[in-house]
Structure formats: structure tokens, C-alpha cells
Amino acid sequence: MKSHVSILSCLMVGLIVAAPVFAQDDVRGELDYLKKRVAELEKRLSAQENRTVPMPAYTGKNPSAAALDADIDAEFMNAGSGDQWFNKTSIGGYGEMHMNFNDDADDQIDFHRWVLFINHEFTDNIRLVSELELEHSLSGDGKNGEVELEQAYIEMGLGNGFTVKGGLFLTPIGILNEVHEPATFFGTERNLIEREIIPTTWWEGGLALTKTFEETGWQFDLAVHSGLNVPTVGGSAFRPRSGRQKVSQANANEWASTVRVRYTGIPGLEIASSVQYQSDITPDAAFSEKNDALLTEAHIDFRRGGFGLRALGAVWSVDGETPEALGLDEQWGYYIEPSYTFTFANGNKLGFFTRYSQMDGARGEITQWDAGVNYWPIDNVVFKADYSNVEVEGGDTSDSINLGIGYHF
Amino acid sequence: MKPSAFIASSFKGKPQAGALTLSKKMQVEIKRFIGRAYSPAKVRYWTDGTRTAWILSEIGKTKPITTGYVVAKGKIERVQVLIYRESHGWEVRQPFFTRQFSGAGLDHKAKLSKRIDNISGATLSVTALTKMAKLALYLERQRVGS
């Protein structure tokens, strides 16, 4: 009897001790089972999300395939947008602040340009492009700056590579006139030639037709638009830059036309030439002399790897006794700008450039050297530092160190 | 070229359509390629098993550029700009430019294995196409791995 009691006691003690162990094993088993099920479900869910389904052949004969095609096209046509007006309207902009340390004038800091683009797509092939600019930070009576409408045109795609635009647009001349976001060029200040000979930023009102040949890289532009109205006396007489009317109640007695041929058919290369004819750049009735003028421009912009080269030449031929007497019947200028840009592993870029410019125009005979550096932490933001040496024939030589910050989005 | 025509011309037979859902983890990695999370978070693709077509959109200057990419064995095989909405920078549509991407893969530093030459006056559009090329290669990696 005693031995039976002992055996029973042992069994009971054994069961009591073993029970939690059995329970733990059960829980572990349950957990393993659940883990396995969750993994299976995750796999099935993932497979379902990334499933592949058969698509009909794109024969064009199967109506359901055609409907599917239409769906696909509609989906991507509206990529990133919808039917609401705000989805068809986009904004962008750029800005640049400059600091100039001058050896013969006061040092200066200036938020030179703050620009806002507002574009709107009315339909797939009719759109509005507009650009509003605040120059020198402050505008108004007696202030240094201006609020300017630099672009506002309606562009229509006509098919077969033809595009027409009407309104206020940038004239298709030079490298910087149409593309001048600060992160896209070297130097804090824009170059001398595309300031004095080609009065960048230069916009006029009118109509323009563009034909592009995408397969070969050719582009042809023809624009008919308002023209310059240059002063005829004083220090700025016959200076193209002083003749910009900015489409502000502008004299439209005389018109101008611009033709451009552009070739970009080789990687990294752009070669272009523009010719502009104006029947009279002094259209004011008060000045009776007729001064028809022809501007001829050509440039090359080449980039291969880190190496870059920009070179541009432009010349004005102005008819009439007054410009001839002032020695301004021929105004010309050119520059050449080699550069090298290093790209680092983190995407930062550091570029070095030098530029030699020479011109003869309303501001005299000028030779300018620039050299400096651009640093891009990202493609949309640039920090600039450069040195300029300007020599005016028969006049002063001046030096400056320039710093700049620029962005676009 | 219409997106449907791009898909049709990229495959001999009929492709299988699918969609890859971008997880939070994927979006973190995508930021390395395009600087932001990609939208829509469900990206459609077409594949015949060895080659996959992706249609992606990225902002050039102010408008999205919709571009088709065909990826095979981890390398770009074909790039075609499908819908170009910008008024400048159309040069990225040219075959001489898009051909540069052929054979490009993605290296471990999130860079393309081939140098893509820029186009004067079209820098922003070139950047957009390059970002999308990296994204297409990344998405294909994720699709194959999933």
C-alpha cells in the first residue's frame, strides 16, 4: 500500500512539475504555427498586389484591346494631374542674390532677381506660359527695382513638330536669353556681350512659329514682333539695352522679325544662329531719320563629361547718318568661356570657368576677363564666386570680386 | 508616341500587366534616386518574363515628362519619351540622347553605370530622365525580388 502511495505521489509531483513544460511547448507550437500562417498570408498578399494578368494582344482589331489602350493612354496623359484647374496649373521660379566687392565703387549686395513662373494647360496642346519678375528687391517710384512681366504667351501645338505662340515672349537669340536660371550658367553676373550687344533678358510682343525635327535635332524659329526704340542722344544713344520697350505701351510704328536655326543633333552640342531685322530702331515720329538695323548672332555650347565650352559672337549693323557719326553703326562683341566641372560621389558638383569677352558698342571698347567657381550642392541650387577685370579703352580699369546664390524649382 | 503604342512596340508577343506597390521602405530608398517619394504608390508595368516596360513621370522644369523604359537583366534596354509637356528642352526626345541609356545599370552608390551627356538648354529635362532611369532599374529589382 505504502509503495502504491509512493508511486502515486511521484506521478502527481511529476505531473505538477511537467505541466508548465507541456503548456510552454503548446504555446511555442501555436506561435510557430501562427508565424508560419502570417508568412504565408504575407506572401499571398504580396503576390496578389504584384500579380500579373494576361493582356490582350495589341492588334488594334480587338475592341477590348483598343479600349484597354485608350485607358492606358488616358491614365498617363493625366500623369500627376487631374481635371481640376489647379491640377493643370503649375508654378516654378528662380532667384539670385549677388554681392559685389568693387575696387572703384561701393561694395553692393542685391537680391537681383526673384522670378515666379505660372503656367496653365488649357488642353493637351494649348497652354499659357507666364513669368513675373521682381528686380532688385523693391519697386515703385524712386526705387531701384522693377516688377516686370517677362513672358506671357499662349502656345499651341499644331502637330508634325510645329508650334505657334502668341503674346509676350523671349526673343530666340543667344544662349542666355531663353534659358537663364542661375544654376545653368557660370559667373555671378551675366556675361558682357549678352547684356550690351544682345540685351538679355529681351522680350517682345508678337507671334512665333517653331518647327522641330526630333529625329535629326534641327529646329527653326520665325518670329514677328515689336522692336527696339533706342535713345538718339546722350550717353545711351543707340545702345540696344536702352531701347527695350518691354511691351509696355510700346511704340509699334515699326516691326521686327527674327529667324533662328538651331542644331542639337550630337550629344552635348548646341550650335545656333539668329538674324533679326528691324525696319527702324528709332521709330519715334519726333526723330525723322530712319535707322534700319540688322543683328546677326551665332554661338556654340558644348559639353562632354566635365568639359564645357561656350562661345558667342554678335554684331549690329545700323543704317543712318547719326549712328555713323557716333561710330555706332557697327556694334559687336564676342566671348569664349571654357569650363570644367567635377561631379562627386554624393552628387555635389564643383565647376571652374574662365571667360574672355570683347566688345565695341555704345558703352565703348571693353575687354573683360572673368574667372571663378560654381558649387552645386544639388542641381537646383548654386553658390558662385568669381573675379572680374574690366578694361575700357581710353578709360578706367576696374576689378571686382562677386559672390552669388541662386536657385530654381 | 502613345503609352499603349510604346508597350505594343516593346514586346513581340502579348505582355503581362502588373502593378508594384511601393512600401514605405521602398519609398525611403526611392528618395535616394529621385529626391522624393514616388507617386502614385502603385506603379504599373508590363513584362514578357525577361523584359519589363515601366512608364514613369517626373517633373522637368514645371511639368511632368512621361517616359517609357524597358529593362532587361538589370540594364536599360530602351528609353522613349512619351508625353512631353514642357515648352523647352524637347531635345531629350531625340534618339541620340535616349540611346545613351542603353546598357546602363544601377551601381551600389545609386548611380547609373553609364555617363549620360547633357544637352545644352535642356538640363532640367535631362535630370528628370536620368532620375526616372534609376527609378526604373530600382523598381525592376524590386519586382524580380518580390
Side-chain angles (χ1 to χ4, degrees), chain A residues 245-320:
Chain A
Q245 301 191 81
K246 304 191 174 183
V247 201
S248 172
Q249 299 186 326
N251 186 314
N253 293 337
E254 303 286 342
W255 283 73
S257 52
T258 304
V259 175
R260 175 174 68 181
V261 179
R262 184 163 171 259
Y263 176 70
T264 53
I266 297 170
L269 175 72
E270 172 185 294
I271 299 179
S273 180
S274 298
V275 176
Q276 183 183 98
Y277 176 74
Q278 301 200 29
S279 50
D280 192 356
I281 57 168
T282 55
D284 275 347
F287 189 73
S288 60
E289 188 176 302
K290 191 172 169 65
N291 303 105
D292 63 312
L294 188 73
L295 168 64
T296 309
E297 178 271 344
H299 69 255
I300 181 170
D301 185 357
F302 180 67
R303 273 181 264 177
R304 181 61 59 89
F307 176 73
L309 177 71
R310 282 184 166 185
L312 178 146
V315 57
W316 279 100
S317 301
V318 186
D319 276 350

Side-chain angles (χ1 to χ4, degrees), chain A residues 89-362:
Chain A
T89 302
S90 57
I91 66 162
Y94 70 87
E96 52 188 325
M97 188 172 79
H98 300 165
M99 176 80 209
N100 309 109
F101 299 94
N102 302 306
D103 72 335
D104 61 347
D106 288 338
D107 295 342
Q108 192 178 70
I109 185 164
D110 182 29
F111 203 102
H112 201 141
R113 298 179 180 91
W114 183 90
V115 174
L116 193 64
F117 301 114
I118 299 180
N119 300 339
H120 183 76
E121 274 187 78
F122 297 101
T123 68
D124 287 342
N125 57 358
I126 302 179
R127 77 184 75 167
L128 165 75
V129 176
S130 71
E131 177 181 340
L132 190 69
E133 176 165 332
L134 172 60
E135 279 203 336
H136 306 300
S137 185
L138 201 60
S139 76
D141 280 349
K143 306 295 183 198
N144 295 317
E146 290 175 308
V147 174
E148 294 174 329
L149 185 65
E150 289 205 349
Q151 295 188 75
Y153 61 83
I154 299 292
E155 186 176 66
M156 292 173 64
L158 304 177
N160 291 324
F162 281 100
T163 311
V164 67
K165 62 186 171 190
L168 186 158
F169 55 81
L170 301 170
T171 55
I173 301 174
I175 297 175
L176 291 188
N177 202 48
E178 288 187 306
V179 180
H180 44 247
E181 283 81 348
T184 64
F185 65 90
F186 280 104
T188 303
E189 304 292 345
R190 295 175 182 175
N191 70 75
L192 176 71
I193 312 307
E194 291 187 270
R195 204 167 63 229
E196 289 297 324
I197 305 297
I198 303 168
T200 298
T201 312
W202 183 9
W203 61 91
E204 298 288 356
L207 286 172
L209 180 71
T210 298
K211 165 73 177 166
T212 53
F213 295 88
E214 287 176 11
E215 292 298 313
T216 54
W218 286 95
Q219 178 181 331
F220 298 90
D221 299 272
L222 168 64
V224 179
H225 51 78
S226 53
L228 300 177
N229 184 6
V230 297
T232 53
V233 292
S236 296
F238 288 91
R239 181 186 180 221
R241 190 166 190 84
S242 301
R244 295 178 302 171
Q245 301 191 81
K246 304 191 174 183
V247 201
S248 172
Q249 299 186 326
N251 186 314
N253 293 337
E254 303 286 342
W255 283 73
S257 52
T258 304
V259 175
R260 175 174 68 181
V261 179
R262 184 163 171 259
Y263 176 70
T264 53
I266 297 170
L269 175 72
E270 172 185 294
I271 299 179
S273 180
S274 298
V275 176
Q276 183 183 98
Y277 176 74
Q278 301 200 29
S279 50
D280 192 356
I281 57 168
T282 55
D284 275 347
F287 189 73
S288 60
E289 188 176 302
K290 191 172 169 65
N291 303 105
D292 63 312
L294 188 73
L295 168 64
T296 309
E297 178 271 344
H299 69 255
I300 181 170
D301 185 357
F302 180 67
R303 273 181 264 177
R304 181 61 59 89
F307 176 73
L309 177 71
R310 282 184 166 185
L312 178 146
V315 57
W316 279 100
S317 301
V318 186
D319 276 350
E321 287 178 6
T322 309
E324 193 177 344
L326 292 169
L328 296 171
D329 52 331
E330 291 281 326
Q331 300 185 42
W332 56 267
Y334 68 87
Y335 73 82
I336 180 162
E337 179 196 286
S339 63
Y340 196 88
T341 301
F342 297 92
T343 303
F344 301 104
N346 60 3
N348 289 10
K349 290 180 188 168
L350 189 66
F352 298 87
F353 82 102
T354 185
R355 186 193 305 126
Y356 176 77
S357 315
Q358 195 163 26
M359 64 159 277
D360 185 1

Side-chain angles (χ1 to χ4, degrees), chain A residues 55-56 58-60 64-74, chain B residues 2-5 7-8:
Chain A
M55 288 280 286
Y58 290 89
T59 60
S64 62
L68 262 174
D69 281 356
D71 280 354
I72 292 165
D73 294 338
Chain B
K2 284 186 174 177
S4 58
I7 297 160

Side-chain angles (χ1 to χ4, degrees), chain A residues 75 121 127 217 262 301, chain B residues 44 63 85 91 94 120:
Chain A
E75 180 186 329
E121 274 187 78
R127 77 184 75 167
R262 184 163 171 259
D301 185 357
Chain B
R44 296 182 68 179
K63 305 297 291 179
R85 303 169 176 88
E91 296 86 351
Q94 293 174 93
S120 173

Side-chain angles (χ1 to χ4, degrees), chain B residues 29-71:
Chain B
E29 289 181 300
I30 285 169
K31 273 192 183 172
R32 293 170 63 211
F33 304 116
I34 65 170
R36 62 179 175 84
Y38 189 75
S39 174
K42 202 162 187 176
V43 190
R44 296 182 68 179
Y45 62 81
W46 291 261
T47 184
D48 63 4
T50 53
R51 299 159 65 256
T52 307
W54 296 89
I55 298 181
L56 305 169
S57 293
E58 175 64 9
I59 305 277
K61 188 173 179 180
T62 59
K63 305 297 291 179
I65 304 168
T66 301
T67 312
Y69 293 82
V70 175
V71 182

